[in-house]
Amino acid sequence: MISTVALLLWGPAALLGTAILAGVVSRRASATRLVYGAALVISVALLVTVAGHLAGRPGEVSAITLPLGLPWTGARFRLDGLSAFFLVVVNLGGAITSLYGLGYGRHESQPHRVLPFYPAFLAGMNLVVLANDAFAFLLSWEFMSLASWALVMSHHRDEANRRAAYIYLVMASFGTLALLLAFGLLAGPAGTYAFDAMRAAQPGPLAAGVVLALMLLGAGSKAGLVPLHAWLPLAHPAAPSHVSALMSGIMTKVAIYGFIRVVFDLLGAPAWWSGVVVLLLGGTTAVLGILYALMEKDLKRLLAYSTIENIGVIFASLGLALAFKANAMPSAAALAFTAALFHVLNHSFFKSLLFFGAGAVLTATGERDMEKLGGLIHRMPVTSFVFLVGCVSISALPPFNGFASEWLAFQAILQSPQLPQWGLKVIVPAVGGMLALSAALAAACFVKAFGITFLGRPRSAAVERTHEVDRWSLAAMAVLAIFCLLAGILPGFVIDGLSPVTLPLIGDRMPVQTAQPWLSIVPIAESRSSYNGLLVFVFITISASLAAFFIHRFASHALRRGIAWGCGFAETAPAAQYTAVSFAQPIRRVFGSFAFRARETVEMPAPGSLEPARIKIDIHDVAWETFYQPITGAIDFATERLNYLQFLTIRRYLTLVFLYLVILLLVLALWP
């Protein structure tokens, strides 16, 4: 009987075959439907296979070694609970994105630059999750990075897109180098590539600390941890919108998978201070990510920065799980780890939905600048509704899914007084406050995103000519909106489904949630806390319906219509509405001095002049200017100096080779 992992490997092979086929037929009119349809079918087949494995044999591990890769070693692949969960995330996201692409892809100006790399990107993500040795993992990781780089580069005629692709490629190469060094340390003197051997090696405290740092650099740069986030707000807007959804909603989760696989599985028992490092990075990332999102007026850049915030929430939960695991508190560690995985799934839902909505707006209006939008709720009602569902979900408001996973994270934070280290007793509540602040700011951010984009009056002529997008795109967004609701009102089923992932890595699991009355979820014990998303949903539905009924039944006869107060203007104009920049002004003035180095400059005309007053706002990315600009400057300086080596004579080249050979022999002679 063929093993499950062998069956799953046919999926990436079929996707790679689709990529080759797309390269041949991508200029034909039928290519879009053919490629996205094939990717949809393959992703659904992979999803059904993995879901069947989780449902029928959740604890079973399936492994295979193929005669590929390095000589005499082969390429190892493995399916366990952790990889199965992330395969569900990857292929569910891939299937819905392919469904969206059936409609959105018809509007692509250069489909031949997208279609060959789209299925290759999906194949790379699947292979990363299935890899069971360092060589297969790194090769798949690089393949995933190069395919996504090609997709970011698809609109290459735009200078900003070329710059975004270049920065993304540099950051991806840096991340791969960090991962290579981490696996080298895990391999140790034996130099084995297999994860099974690394798992049994158990590195010392110093080596474990270095591996943790390298994984934060390698996986953190791909996920978007601050200060390694510089590529993310550049690459996501540059890519086509459905690719942005894959990169933000799915690829960042593959990076989180890599971090979990090494730190929770291969690295052995964690030290308590490792939880402190990951916690602080997660909390800082969450706050800074949503602050930068609030300052944006480009809808896709706003969503990209919001991804950074959610990555911070996930890493903060993982840091808390490390701290609890190090202190032999398995039930609390299982709670924090489940919260992280639950938010991984939830973020893949609502962030993909929001990028799909942004893509629909871009297709209909040709605009990403929220200052030029407004009033779309009347012209794109379905898109407006599903985008609102995504906004409510990402704002962690009940009864949708974002609330359920973040509520679990806060319940884990409430277990911190039981930790023995005073450092953790202080840091965990502080990070909890940072997460609470980021949740509040996220609500403000998406009130701005929805209100400025869809409400009010149109701010440009392009908006007045818009209409609803195609049915394929609407169907994909509707499916994700339903998932956001179902995961929010029935979170117990998701939590129980995560137990095969949590139990092998943590040694414990959350209590069985489906056994609770009325489908409540109980993190530790009912006497401490519980939440029932279904009852909250029913209460909100009934109360809202009754309120609407009584208002329309008993108050409509007293309705009076009049001219709205226009702040002193006799005639209201679209230009007099709130803008994205003005909406964020209070937040900018509170946090701008230390988070953005923001400066407002007002240019007032001379008395009697008819010219308008102008305000100029300068916002800086502190991480970019602090870390990346000096590095790029140093590289430019060094390359200019080294450029001299291209013009040496043959005698000087031979002299340099001789000197390098002498230095190498001296090093080998003096090496202990």
Side-chain angles (χ1 to χ4, degrees):
M1 181 179 178
I2 188 171
S3 65
T4 307
V5 68
L7 191 62
L8 288 172
L9 285 173
W10 283 104
L15 287 168
L16 291 174
T18 304
I20 296 172
L21 176 64
V24 176
V25 303
S26 59
R27 295 183 183 272
R28 297 183 183 179
S30 60
T32 296
R33 182 166 295 184
L34 175 65
V35 172
Y36 289 119
L40 172 61
V41 171
I42 296 167
S43 296
V44 169
L46 288 169
L47 178 63
V48 170
T49 304
V50 176
H53 176 84
L54 280 175
R57 296 164 289 173
E60 181 180 319
V61 175
S62 177
I64 190 174
T65 301
L66 299 180
L68 303 171
L70 294 177
W72 304 292
T73 60
R76 299 173 180 84
F77 297 94
R78 184 174 186 261
L79 179 70
D80 58 7
L82 180 64
S83 55
F85 167 72
F86 277 92
L87 283 175
V88 168
V89 173
V90 168
N91 290 293
L92 182 57
I96 299 175
T97 303
S98 300
L99 178 64
Y100 182 85
L102 286 171
Y104 180 85
R106 290 183 296 179
H107 306 287
E108 178 61 49
S109 59
Q110 294 180 309
H112 60 280
R113 295 190 176 276
V114 177
L115 295 178
F117 303 105
Y118 176 82
F121 185 30
L122 292 176
M125 290 190 289
N126 276 280
L127 289 172
V128 169
V129 177
L130 285 170
N132 194 34
D133 64 62
F135 180 79
F137 185 96
L138 290 172
L139 186 64
S140 304
W141 183 278
E142 273 295 271
F143 185 78
M144 173 186 74
S145 299
L146 289 173
S148 55
W149 168 79
L151 291 167
V152 172
M153 194 67 174
S154 58
H155 299 159
H156 66 288
R157 297 187 186 278
D158 190 329
E159 172 63 29
N161 291 351
R162 292 199 299 271
R163 177 174 178 267
Y166 172 74
I167 292 174
Y168 173 55
L169 188 62
V170 171
M171 292 297 295
S173 302
F174 169 77
T176 304
L177 176 62
L179 292 176
L180 177 63
L181 295 175
F183 285 127
L185 283 174
L186 286 171
T192 179
Y193 291 95
F195 284 173
D196 293 334
M198 294 180 184
R199 196 175 288 114
Q202 296 295 316
L206 179 60
V210 176
V211 169
L212 175 66
L214 290 170
M215 288 306 302
L216 287 171
L217 290 174
S221 64
K222 183 71 73 179
L225 272 180
V226 172
L228 303 168
H229 68 285
W231 67 271
L232 207 139
L234 299 174
H236 285 14
S241 295
H242 62 309
V243 175
S244 300
L246 271 184
M247 293 178 69
S248 182
I250 310 301
M251 187 185 72
T252 56
K253 309 309 176 304
V254 175
I256 291 170
Y257 163 80
F259 179 82
I260 294 174
R261 174 62 72 191
V262 172
V263 175
F264 283 84
D265 186 17
L266 305 183
L267 206 52
W272 69 269
W273 55 263
S274 62
V276 173
V277 174
V278 180
L279 263 170
L280 289 175
L281 280 174
T284 304
T285 298
V287 173
L288 288 179
I290 199 61
L291 281 174
Y292 277 109
L294 264 165
M295 299 303 110
E296 281 295 332
K297 63 178 184 177
D298 184 306
L299 185 56
K300 289 183 72 174
R301 280 177 64 89
L302 181 149
L303 295 177
Y305 274 120
S306 169
T307 293
I308 297 170
E309 181 248 342
N310 284 274
I311 292 299
V313 174
I314 294 168
F315 269 91
S317 300
L318 291 175
L320 198 57
L322 284 173
F324 286 134
K325 184 179 179 182
N327 286 286
M329 298 171 60
S331 60
L335 171 58
F337 192 72
T338 302
L341 295 181
F342 197 0
H343 204 70
V344 163
L345 181 67
N346 287 339
H347 184 254
S348 71
F349 290 160
F350 53 65
K351 186 49 62 71
S352 298
L353 171 57
L354 291 169
F355 267 113
F356 289 168
V361 170
L362 180 60
T363 299
T365 65
E367 289 289 346
R368 294 186 338 219
D369 188 350
M370 290 185 287
E371 310 282 56
K372 298 178 181 178
L373 299 173
L376 288 175
I377 193 170
H378 302 293
R379 294 162 177 81
M380 304 175 70
V382 179
T383 299
S384 302
F385 176 75
V386 294
F387 195 90
L388 178 61
V389 170
C391 290
V392 174
S393 300
I394 201 171
S395 300
L397 297 175
F400 290 93
N401 58 343
F403 176 83
S405 53
E406 292 201 27
W407 183 80
L408 285 181
F410 283 111
Q411 294 302 312
I413 289 171
L414 293 177
Q415 309 303 314
S416 63
Q418 302 176 35
L419 291 165
Q421 294 87 7
W422 278 102
L424 284 170
K425 288 178 182 289
V426 174
I427 289 171
V428 173
V431 173
M434 296 170 75
L435 296 184
L437 174 62
S438 69
L441 293 174
C445 178
F446 284 94
V447 167
K448 163 187 157 178
F450 184 80
I452 302 299
T453 303
F454 293 97
L455 303 182
R457 298 173 63 185
R459 296 178 178 84
S460 66
V463 177
E464 297 178 352
R465 299 189 298 268
T466 58
H467 54 81
E468 194 60 90
V469 291
D470 59 273
R471 294 181 179 179
W472 294 109
S473 301
L474 293 178
M477 291 188 283
V479 169
L480 286 173
I482 292 170
F483 283 162
C484 288
L485 179 62
L486 290 178
I489 64 177
L490 301 172
F493 293 99
V494 180
I495 293 170
D496 287 347
L498 292 173
S499 60
V501 188
T502 306
L503 191 59
L505 297 176
I506 303 298
D508 202 351
R509 54 162 291 173
M510 285 182 61
V512 178
Q513 303 299 310
T514 51
Q516 303 296 329
W518 298 99
L519 296 176
S520 297
I521 57 172
V522 179
I524 301 294
E526 193 171 5
S527 58
R528 295 189 180 185
S529 61
S530 63
Y531 169 71
N532 192 302
L534 183 60
L535 290 181
V536 170
F537 173 68
V538 171
F539 172 77
I540 291 174
T541 303
I542 293 175
S543 58
S545 301
L546 289 175
F549 171 77
F550 280 106
I551 289 172
H552 286 284
R553 177 66 179 83
F554 298 106
S556 296
H557 66 279
L559 184 65
R560 297 292 184 270
R561 296 187 179 276
I563 299 174
W565 170 244
C567 302
F569 292 93
E571 294 183 5
T572 57
Q577 300 177 110
Y578 263 89
T579 63
V581 174
S582 61
F583 190 97
Q585 185 188 53
I587 304 294
R588 185 176 65 248
R589 289 185 171 176
V590 172
F591 296 99
S593 59
F594 78 92
F596 321 110
R597 295 176 186 164
R599 172 183 289 183
E600 295 182 5
T601 305
V602 179
E603 299 177 1
M604 294 296 296
S609 174
L610 298 179
E611 293 185 0
R614 299 184 183 278
I615 181 171
K616 182 181 179 183
I617 302 169
D618 290 324
I619 295 178
H620 302 271
D621 190 328
V622 179
W624 174 263
E625 295 178 357
T626 303
F627 297 101
Y628 298 103
Q629 281 189 350
I631 293 173
T632 55
I635 291 173
D636 289 342
F637 177 83
T639 51
E640 288 179 2
R641 298 301 180 272
L642 291 173
N643 192 45
Y644 169 76
L645 296 177
Q646 296 186 60
F647 307 102
L648 297 179
T649 64
I650 187 64
R651 288 180 297 177
R652 291 182 178 180
Y653 277 127
L654 292 174
T655 303
L656 284 176
V657 171
F658 177 73
L659 289 176
Y660 292 150
L661 180 60
V662 171
I663 293 171
L664 179 61
L665 291 173
L666 286 174
V667 169
L668 291 175
L670 298 175
W671 191 267

